[in-house]
Amino acid sequence: MIDPTYRKKMVVVEGSYAVAHSAKVCRPNVISAYPITPQTHIVENLSQFMADGEIPNCEYINVEAEFSAISALIGASAVGARTYSATTSQGLLLMHEALFNTSGMRLPVVMTVANRAVSAPINIWNDHQDAIAQRDTGWIQLYVEDVQEACDTLPQLYKIAEDNDIMVPGMVCMDGFILSHVYEPVILLEQDLTDNFLPTFQPEDILDPEDPKTFGAFAAPDTYEEFRYLHEQAMQKALPKIESVAKEFEEIFGRYHGGLVDGYMLDDAEIVIMSMGSILGTIKDVVDEYRARGEKVGVLKVRSFRPFPKEQIREAIKNAHVVVILDKNISIGTNEGALFTETKSCLYNSKIRIPVVGYTVGHGGRDIRVEDIAKIIEETKKVIKSGIEVESQFLSLKEELL
Amino acid sequence: MSKNTPQTYITSGHSGCAGCCDAFAAKFALMGAGPNTIVVNPTGCLEVMSTPFPYSSWQVPWIHSLFENAGAVASGVEAALKALGKKDDIKVISIGGDGSTMDIGLGALSGAFERGHDFTYVCMDNEAYMNTGVQRSSGTPFDASTTTTPAGKVSFGNPRPKKNMPAIMVAHGSPYVATTSIGFPRDMIRKVKKATEIVGPTYIHSHAPCPTGWGFDTSKTLEIAKLAVETCLWPMYEMENGEITQVRKVKDPRPVEEYLRAQKRFKHLFTMEGGEEEIKKIQATADWNIKHFGLQ
């Protein structure tokens, strides 16, 4: 039951509008973006806010490409501006080199990624391949389940990224179309509450003629490795920060979407289904049906993919009899999705010995239905009895196309 | 230097080669821009030699991001200064080589100029990719031998003329585009100063001879630079709002042969059969410059 006062605050808007509103109330100083489906409505809404004078002390740069969008934010962030962009798919891939540069220079740029498949073949619909391909760029990656979480995670991510002990950029990954173009009831972030939650950006090091500093220097083998180590240390510091910021957000706004991970019907679950993004909603519906029949099935939502919450995942699944992981991506050449590979990896040096199986699903926007999830659960049950026969597989291949 | 000479903001002790053209270019550019300047530097010799961590030669705030994005980074710096209310006090300049400016970074630079960001871009054109070993760029002149356009039995070297970069920048509607040379420090300092004082995207293209890449003695950098101007292979002019407003006259142009003979990259023109004809083609370029820019 939704609290009536809570319901009263809700409005039905498009996901992209809600996200643009969130970006606005975070008070960015520089927005730079290039339009690309399905991110377009976010940047169009921000453009309209600018045209209506609704974002004070902000410059909006309509760049000629995504590569310049992120590059402009590198310059802006180094001057001490709070910066925002949004992109997807080929745009995110075009940013790839500069993503390393942003994080290497420890500039807390924040972006929304409306996740989409990558070419070729060209496909505009949702999967997670674009962001997963950026997993080693040193950015924080938080995957969200619904529009409200996409909105609420933006100020959280600024607070995490801009922490002086962290200073690492981050992306909020929301499923393209499924969340960006859906009309859902949401509570739009209130400006006053957001101001209370998110302080102004106060970096220790900026480009300033009063106190000249050198950004992006040349580092030889005698110094480069330490930069990598310190970057990794910053990511490790982000782990508890992601948890604490989610709780701080809850105190002010009354909403909690999970920290690094979030369990659903998990405590006594024998079968645990793990995934990221909007598919979790469908999974939870199916789990409700199983629970109604007395079957101990639970869900582990992974919200933070980078940094990867090894301890929290181990803790969450240690009592399960089997874990099944659904990935909307594949690392071609392994027959595995990234979450599957990394979850198995984090279990190896622990005392947890449970079978882990994977499905790579929903490529290029292929629908994942309730009956698909039920089928996966049924197949996974067999693993408890007879062991793993197929470690990881595609969910819904059409034999006639192969 | 007299006491009226402006101060520079790049220290000695960097690891540039003896006679390094980039060191001159950066020094003169900062003399023109002054201390309240943020420098955006694409990847290249200058970045490598001036910032070996934990050292830095820069006495002004300086940022290097990537090889191809200086125009975009400068856009962001300028926009942020505006948003934070600091733009009136602080100038933004970008100093990049011919590779980052004319080739890989042209898209980002074009975007920045088209959007009208208020900054000055200084190209230090040493006419090849010197940092990686003297490979051809679109700034490499006709018939120069580089490691990717070497002279050989059936080749006189680079088969194409230099890209006309100032014309491209003028075509963006830039209020001020000028060419200069490190061989004429006062000219370069004056033009950079003028460019940084004009609101809008302004462009300075500075000729910058490289002893290592071009093959001349390290003591001759400025001499070779002057020779390029005196042979009319490097015309120096200013364009304001698309019109040429000033040209450095060359009273008695010297034959291009003098300039070519002084550099190893053109050595083959004096030994290969047919070299004379090639030199005539280069002389024709100088003659065209004399006529087109009214150098005499």
Side-chain angles (χ1 to χ4, degrees), chain B residues 206-267:
Chain B
S206 180
H207 200 229
C210 168
T212 319
W214 296 14
F216 58 79
D217 188 85
T218 53
S219 65
K220 307 273 187 203
T221 305
L222 299 181
E223 204 174 295
I224 296 285
K226 283 179 188 160
L227 207 46
V229 174
E230 286 161 5
T231 54
C232 298
L233 280 171
W234 188 256
M236 298 218 300
Y237 54 89
E238 289 175 275
M239 294 186 77
E240 294 177 58
N241 300 314
E243 302 292 330
I244 293 180
T245 50
Q246 203 173 50
V247 173
R248 183 183 181 89
K249 301 279 184 186
V250 183
K251 275 185 187 164
D252 298 306
R254 296 160 78 167
V256 296
E257 200 181 313
E258 282 187 36
Y259 176 69
L260 302 176
R261 203 181 275 283
Q263 305 169 48
K264 276 189 191 151
R265 62 177 178 158
F266 295 114
K267 189 178 66 176

Side-chain angles (χ1 to χ4, degrees), chain A residues 108-156:
Chain A
V109 172
V110 167
M111 276 200 300
T112 299
V113 175
N115 291 111
R116 169 187 145 185
V118 298
S119 295
I122 192 167
N123 173 295
I124 59 166
W125 293 275
N126 165 248
D127 66 33
H128 292 165
Q129 198 68 58
D130 53 356
I132 292 297
Q134 314 309 324
R135 70 172 131 170
D136 300 328
T137 56
W139 282 55
I140 294 167
Q141 288 193 357
L142 302 180
Y143 287 76
V144 302
E145 188 179 339
D146 56 28
V147 172
Q148 188 69 64
E149 187 180 358
C151 296
D152 294 352
T153 303
L154 259 189
Q156 292 184 39

Side-chain angles (χ1 to χ4, degrees), chain A residues 125-234:
Chain A
W125 293 275
N126 165 248
D127 66 33
H128 292 165
Q129 198 68 58
D130 53 356
I132 292 297
Q134 314 309 324
R135 70 172 131 170
D136 300 328
T137 56
W139 282 55
I140 294 167
Q141 288 193 357
L142 302 180
Y143 287 76
V144 302
E145 188 179 339
D146 56 28
V147 172
Q148 188 69 64
E149 187 180 358
C151 296
D152 294 352
T153 303
L154 259 189
Q156 292 184 39
L157 188 50
Y158 275 112
K159 196 160 188 168
I160 298 157
E162 292 174 0
D163 183 298
N164 271 321
D165 287 335
I166 299 173
M167 295 295 278
V168 168
M171 47 185 94
V172 176
C173 300
M174 66 187 292
D175 286 330
F177 287 116
I178 298 169
L179 298 183
S180 63
H181 285 55
V182 72
Y183 279 72
E184 266 183 10
V186 291
I187 295 179
L188 296 174
L189 287 178
E190 299 89 341
Q191 185 68 66
D192 55 341
L193 294 183
T194 309
D195 289 342
N196 285 342
F197 172 74
L198 181 64
T200 53
F201 181 32
Q202 299 285 358
E204 285 176 0
D205 299 308
I206 58 166
L207 295 169
D208 179 8
E210 296 289 315
D211 182 17
K213 283 173 181 159
T214 293
F215 277 61
F218 168 77
D222 60 336
T223 57
Y224 181 84
E225 194 161 315
E226 284 69 24
F227 281 91
R228 302 298 282 167
Y229 172 77
L230 291 169
H231 192 160
E232 176 56 42
Q233 290 297 104

Side-chain angles (χ1 to χ4, degrees), chain A residues 64 71 97 101 214-216 218, chain B residues 53 56 62 64-65 68 115:
Chain A
E64 79 286 356
S71 299
E97 187 192 6
N101 204 257
T214 293
F215 277 61
F218 168 77
Chain B
F53 183 83
S56 175
W62 179 94
H64 155 252
S65 175
E68 67 276 40
R115 291 188 299 271

